[in-house]
Amino acid sequence: MRIAVDCKDLILEKSLELFLKEYLVTKNDCDFIVCDEKISYAKPLFIINDNSPFLQVPFSKEKLLTSLEEFDEALKIAAKKLAQEQRKILEQKIDTIANEFKKEYEEKINKAILSLKDKLVKALMNE
C-alpha cells in the first residue's frame, strides 16, 4: 500500500503523516491519496471528513489502518476485475481477427483449387 497525503487541515495532515510514515510516497508513485476534501488528481481518493463514507473524524490509528487496508483491497479487486474485462475484450477481438483471416485463407485456397481443377480438366480434354 503506497499512500500520499494531501489535506487542507494541517493538523490532520501531520497526524496522518505520523500514522502512515511507512506507507508514504509521492503523489505520482502512490496507489491512492488520503485527503480531507475532494481534489482533482488522477488517483483514487480516500477522503476523511465528517461526511466521508470511508472514515470520519475522530478516528484511531487502528481504525485508520483498517479502513485504508479495506480501501486498498477494494481498489485491487476493482483493478483485477477491469483487467479481466479488458482481457476478455482483447480475446474476442483476437478471435474475430483469426476467424476473418481463416475465412479469407479458406476462400483463397478454394479459389486456387478450383483454378487448378479447371486447368487439369482443360489439359485432359486437350490430350
Side-chain angles (χ1 to χ4, degrees):
M1 188 165 57
R2 298 171 306 156
I3 302 171
V5 175
D6 185 356
C7 295
K8 301 292 180 202
D9 181 338
L10 294 179
I11 295 173
L12 177 59
E13 184 165 313
K14 294 301 176 190
S15 299
L16 291 170
E17 288 173 355
L18 180 66
F19 290 159
L20 303 173
K21 61 185 167 204
E22 63 194 73
Y23 303 103
L24 293 179
V25 295
T26 66
K27 282 186 183 178
N28 290 335
D29 296 330
C30 71
D31 298 324
F32 58 91
I33 300 172
V34 177
C35 52
D36 55 356
E37 60 184 47
K38 191 169 184 169
I39 60 173
S40 286
Y41 208 79
K43 298 278 184 163
L45 302 178
F46 182 93
I47 300 174
I48 299 175
N49 64 31
D50 293 334
N51 302 316
S52 174
F54 304 115
L55 185 63
Q56 297 176 353
V57 178
F59 56 85
S60 65
K61 180 178 180 179
E62 292 76 26
K63 179 64 177 160
L64 170 66
L65 292 175
T66 300
S67 298
L68 290 172
E69 287 170 0
E70 289 170 358
F71 185 76
D72 187 51
E73 188 62 31
L75 288 177
K76 288 176 182 173
I77 290 169
K80 185 176 181 179
K81 184 178 178 182
L82 179 61
Q84 288 172 341
E85 289 171 1
Q86 290 175 339
R87 179 181 177 178
K88 187 176 181 180
I89 290 168
L90 183 58
E91 287 173 349
Q92 289 171 342
K93 286 180 181 180
I94 291 169
D95 284 345
T96 300
I97 292 168
N99 288 333
E100 288 174 4
F101 176 77
K102 180 181 174 186
K103 184 179 176 183
E104 288 176 21
Y105 191 68
E106 285 175 349
E107 288 173 2
K108 288 178 181 178
I109 288 175
N110 288 337
K111 284 180 183 178
I113 290 171
L114 285 175
S115 175
L116 182 58
K117 180 182 170 186
D118 288 343
K119 288 179 184 177
L120 286 173
V121 169
K122 285 179 185 178
L124 289 173
M125 299 270 253
N126 289 336
E127 280 189 8

